[in-house]
Amino acid sequence: MGLVEIRWHGRGGQGVVTSAEMLVSAAIYEGKYAIAIPFFGAERRGAPVVAYNRISDTPIRTRCPILNPDYVVLLDERLGRMIDVVRGLKSDGVLVVNSKSVPEWVDRKDIRIATVDATSISMSLGLELAGIVIVNMPMLGALIKVSNIVSLNSLTKAIKAKWKGERMKQNLEAVTRAYNETVIW
Amino acid sequence: MPVMPLSGNHAAAYAAKLSRVEVVAAYPITPQTQIVEKLAEFIEKGELKAKFIRVESEHSAMAACIGAAAVGARAFTATSSQGLLYMSEMLWWAAGARLPIVMGIVTRALAPPWSIWSDHIDVLSQRDTGWIIAFAENAQEVLDLIIQGFKISENDRVLLPLIVAWDAFDVSHTIEPVDVPNQNVVDEFLPKRRKYRHTLDVENPFSYGNLAYPKDYMEFRYSIYDSMLRAKDVIEQCAAEYDRLTGRYSGGLIENYLCDDADIVAIAMGSISGDLKVVVDKLRKQGVKVGFCRIRYFRPFPSEALAKCIEDAKTILVFDRDISFGSEGALCLEVRATVNREGLDKRVYGIIYGIGGREVRQKDLENIIVKAYKEELNHPRKLLWLNLKHV
């Protein structure tokens, strides 16, 4: 595997940064190198947030901004109407979006689209905090399904290392269900 | 040794914990706060047996560290930007009292206008305080340099406080795999802090910090100057010993990346270094003989090591993430002084980049090096401001 670059779009409170961090944890179990870069500005709950991942078989030295990601993961489909979320996404790159179907605002023909109804999965598992549905875990499941950058097994290990008890079970269930339910259009 | 996903800030907290710090005194400021939050958590859980002293300002934070270090405790603090400026007076007291203290600084631009993003002017404004100053490239090095920092600072040939600095967000908040050494390895490298002749002792009272008349004052200054020079050897020795125990060479005054046969050498500090190395690799494949020299320790300034590194180069590009108004970048001035002192014949170009977090792309770095290679850069008198908008 060469260098794979990912950009995450979501809203403050949905768990974007935690997703990027969990991907680093999972990569470590496979002896891979990964970094997670949360973009830091005036973040607050509900406001658009961005984070990045780089994953590779070899050590990652670069810290420059990611301009042409291989994957864009979108946790809130409605953000696509406000910002150009696929900006710079490579030709043949994949947009992984939390949606039941392909969003009507996608205007690029050269990219692939994967969808998963992460909101329903998280809601059915009770993954909510202060009125915000936390959809990061199903979106991670969808991303690894379409990308194979880390295995479901490694992500499972990372989740077990981070959470205990009920929360761990909910997160594992969310990831696994999304992994199985993701549709590539 | 477990590999953990850690941000630069959490790597710093783990380093302080592994160094068995006994006193932590700090005041929160973005982007530093996570470090002391994590340390407070370690202390609360009982994983770190230390006293956390809550203070009302950075000035008091350093005062508390000075008190702790004066009676023989291992003390740690961290700050950024405005907090560091507020603390500044006490930095001189810490160094003048010859107290080993280690401080993490997450580099951040100074106001006004407000900025929480990185540049190096906060740390470099403390250049002459008598603190040893190191810049880390990534989270791994943050951890390694803090652990080594205590050993260097506590060495009785040195006895000077030490700053480890790393870039806001690019390192402080970026999460990457960090190899965390086992406690027994760190214990072997860094034994318990010992008492010195000047460690305060109620059984044997004395005072210091008194008035020094002109017949005495200058020797105190010479003594710091002299210890700072001696620190150069100690820094190299500590890096070698750390390598022996952990299997990782992660320290030393400079990093020489393909400089030996280079016609052009780029020089920089901190997180830009990884991208410069990637660009060097790329240009090397195209036949451009370029190298990169990273200044890991800004104080003491590694003039001799740098001179050797750039001996055969014709052109030097110095990337400064700071500006000394009315002159040029602080690092560039050091490089020019080294070139001059060693009687070297080089063209030295100063480049100002990344001020207040201004974005830098690999392409920008590549373009400058290629221009220098083709001898298309303006006269060195003209300071180059990278990605400056029209003003």
Side-chain angles (χ1 to χ4, degrees):
Chain A
M1 182 176 82
L3 179 68
V4 175
E5 296 181 318
I6 300 153
R7 187 170 71 223
W8 298 80
H9 288 277
R11 291 181 185 274
Q14 286 185 315
V16 165
V17 175
T18 306
S19 304
E21 184 188 338
M22 293 313 290
L23 210 47
V24 177
S25 301
I28 290 172
Y29 286 111
E30 299 186 2
K32 289 177 179 159
Y33 297 87
I35 65 172
I37 311 163
F39 179 82
F40 209 90
E43 280 81 8
R44 59 220 175 271
R45 297 183 71 77
V49 293
V50 180
Y52 304 88
N53 275 120
R54 285 192 170 98
I55 298 191
S56 174
D57 288 328
T58 52
I60 296 165
R61 296 179 293 182
T62 181
R63 267 153 221 277
C64 279
I66 291 172
L67 303 171
N68 301 111
D70 301 276
Y71 298 90
V72 167
V73 189
L74 179 57
L75 275 65
D76 183 343
E77 183 264 319
R78 290 165 300 181
L79 280 174
R81 294 173 221 170
M82 290 163 51
I83 35 183
D84 184 9
V85 293
V86 291
R87 176 178 42 89
L89 177 62
K90 279 184 187 146
S91 252
D92 214 30
V94 187
L95 169 68
V96 186
V97 53
N98 172 15
S99 176
K100 290 182 176 125
S101 56
V102 175
E104 83 287 351
W105 46 260
V106 178
D107 57 359
R108 277 180 59 178
K109 301 268 179 271
D110 62 328
I111 58 171
R112 288 175 293 153
I113 294 164
T115 59
V116 66
D117 186 2
T119 305
S120 297
I121 294 173
S122 289
M123 281 180 80
S124 71
L125 291 165
L127 287 167
E128 277 180 71
L129 190 70
I132 295 183
V133 184
I134 307 167
V135 291
N136 58 352
M137 288 299 130
M139 293 312 290
L140 253 180
L143 173 67
I144 67 163
K145 174 69 175 280
V146 299
S147 65
N148 279 317
I149 43 178
V150 294
S151 68
L152 184 59
N153 187 28
S154 303
L155 186 57
T156 301
K157 281 189 204 164
I159 289 171
K160 285 182 175 167
K162 171 103 177 169
W163 289 285
K164 301 271 168 285
E166 192 55 26
R167 186 65 190 274
M168 177 193 78
K169 283 186 208 149
Q170 289 168 321
N171 284 340
L172 282 179
E173 176 70 15
V175 164
T176 314
R177 268 180 57 188
Y179 187 87
N180 294 324
E181 291 174 17
T182 299
V183 179
I184 303 167
W185 298 83
Chain B
M1 284 187 269
V3 176
M4 296 172 68
L6 293 178
S7 66
N9 282 351
H10 282 177
Y14 275 90
K17 176 173 169 253
L18 285 165
S19 303
R20 296 189 188 274
V21 295
E22 294 163 292
V23 172
V24 178
Y27 190 82
I29 183 169
T30 300
Q32 169 281 122
T33 309
Q34 297 170 334
I35 307 168
V36 287
E37 277 176 352
K38 194 74 185 168
L39 281 167
E41 189 186 313
F42 287 146
I43 293 169
E44 196 206 348
K45 284 184 181 164
E47 292 174 29
L48 171 63
K49 288 191 178 45
K51 174 92 179 158
F52 192 103
I53 303 175
R54 282 168 296 169
V55 286
E56 84 297 345
S57 75
E58 288 85 357
H59 192 277
S60 299
M62 184 49 65
C65 287
I66 288 171
V71 296
R74 188 170 281 159
F76 178 81
T77 186
T79 191
S80 290
S81 187
Q82 311 299 129
L84 179 62
L85 294 198
Y86 195 28
M87 186 191 274
S88 178
E89 185 195 4
M90 300 316 283
L91 263 65
W92 296 81
W93 283 95
R98 308 305 301 268
L99 296 172
I101 297 168
V102 173
M103 169 159 62
I105 296 181
V106 184
T107 63
R108 167 183 157 181
L110 294 170
W114 284 113
S115 168
I116 55 170
W117 292 274
S118 185
D119 68 40
H120 295 166
I121 198 64
D122 54 354
V123 182
L124 295 177
S125 74
Q126 305 303 306
R127 183 188 69 178
D128 301 331
T129 52
W131 283 61
I132 295 170
I133 301 173
F135 278 86
E137 178 186 331
N138 51 38
Q140 181 70 62
E141 212 173 71
V142 168
L143 180 133
D144 295 334
L145 292 183
I146 287 174
I147 295 170
Q148 290 176 46
F150 281 106
K151 190 162 173 109
I152 295 161
S153 178
E154 291 172 12
N155 185 298
D156 52 16
R157 291 196 293 147
V158 178
L159 286 175
L160 289 170
L162 184 146
I163 287 165
V164 178
W166 57 97
D167 290 342
F169 308 116
D170 298 333
V171 178
S172 70
H173 287 60
T174 296
I175 297 157
E176 45 192 317
V178 175
D179 196 337
V180 181
N182 290 331
Q183 185 66 60
N184 62 336
V185 172
V186 177
D187 287 345
E188 191 184 340
F189 176 76
L190 183 66
K192 210 169 146 39
R193 214 205 98 170
R194 62 181 195 80
K195 291 198 187 318
Y196 306 99
R197 215 166 40 151
H198 67 298
T199 302
L200 293 183
D201 176 4
V202 286
E203 300 299 324
N204 180 26
F206 66 95
S207 69
Y208 63 91
N210 285 325
L211 182 69
Y213 283 82
K215 73 178 181 56
D216 293 323
Y217 181 90
M218 200 161 160
E219 283 68 27
F220 283 96
R221 267 23 203 171
Y222 178 80
S223 156
I224 293 177
Y225 163 81
D226 191 44
S227 298
M228 197 54 107
L229 293 186
R230 275 184 286 177
K232 292 185 187 182
D233 280 342
V234 177
I235 287 166
E236 298 291 5
Q237 286 158 13
C238 283
E241 192 183 337
Y242 192 80
D243 181 15
R244 193 169 55 74
L245 288 171
T246 64
R248 182 169 56 253
Y249 187 82
S250 183
L253 293 163
I254 64 162
E255 178 186 1
N256 173 341
Y257 191 77
L258 304 174
C259 289
D260 293 344
D261 66 335
D263 294 329
I264 300 175
V265 171
I267 300 176
M269 307 191 286
S271 67
I272 192 80
S273 305
D275 284 290
L276 276 165
K277 284 181 263 187
V278 172
V279 170
V280 164
D281 284 350
K282 185 179 172 193
L283 291 174
R284 279 268 171 181
K285 278 189 196 140
Q286 297 167 16
V288 181
K289 281 163 94 179
V290 55
F292 170 62
C293 176
R294 177 156 67 100
I295 304 298
R296 203 184 268 111
Y297 284 82
F298 185 76
R299 281 291 178 273
F301 193 78
S303 291
E304 301 83 356
L306 172 65
K308 237 178 135 181
C309 203
I310 60 174
E311 209 171 8
D312 298 321
K314 294 181 200 71
T315 305
I316 311 295
L317 303 173
V318 187
F319 290 84
D320 259 287
R321 202 166 187 175
D322 64 278
I323 175 69
S324 176
F325 302 124
S327 184
E328 54 188 330
L331 179 57
C332 191
L333 289 169
E334 295 289 344
V335 173
R336 285 194 201 287
T338 296
V339 165
N340 181 285
R341 222 173 8 243
E342 303 292 326
L344 305 174
D345 180 23
K346 319 274 170 213
R347 281 220 131 178
V348 180
Y349 293 92
I351 298 138
I352 307 294
Y353 78 96
I355 300 295
R358 175 59 53 88
E359 185 175 300
V360 180
R361 301 175 183 186
Q362 275 180 11
K363 197 76 197 159
D364 303 323
L365 304 172
E366 190 184 326
N367 285 345
I368 288 185
I369 296 171
V370 169
K371 267 192 177 175
Y373 180 68
K374 293 183 180 162
E375 299 183 0
E376 286 172 2
L377 287 178
N378 285 328
H379 191 276
R381 207 180 290 128
K382 176 97 177 121
L383 187 61
L384 220 148
W385 285 66
L386 189 61
N387 295 344
L388 184 72
K389 287 184 290 188
H390 182 69
V391 282

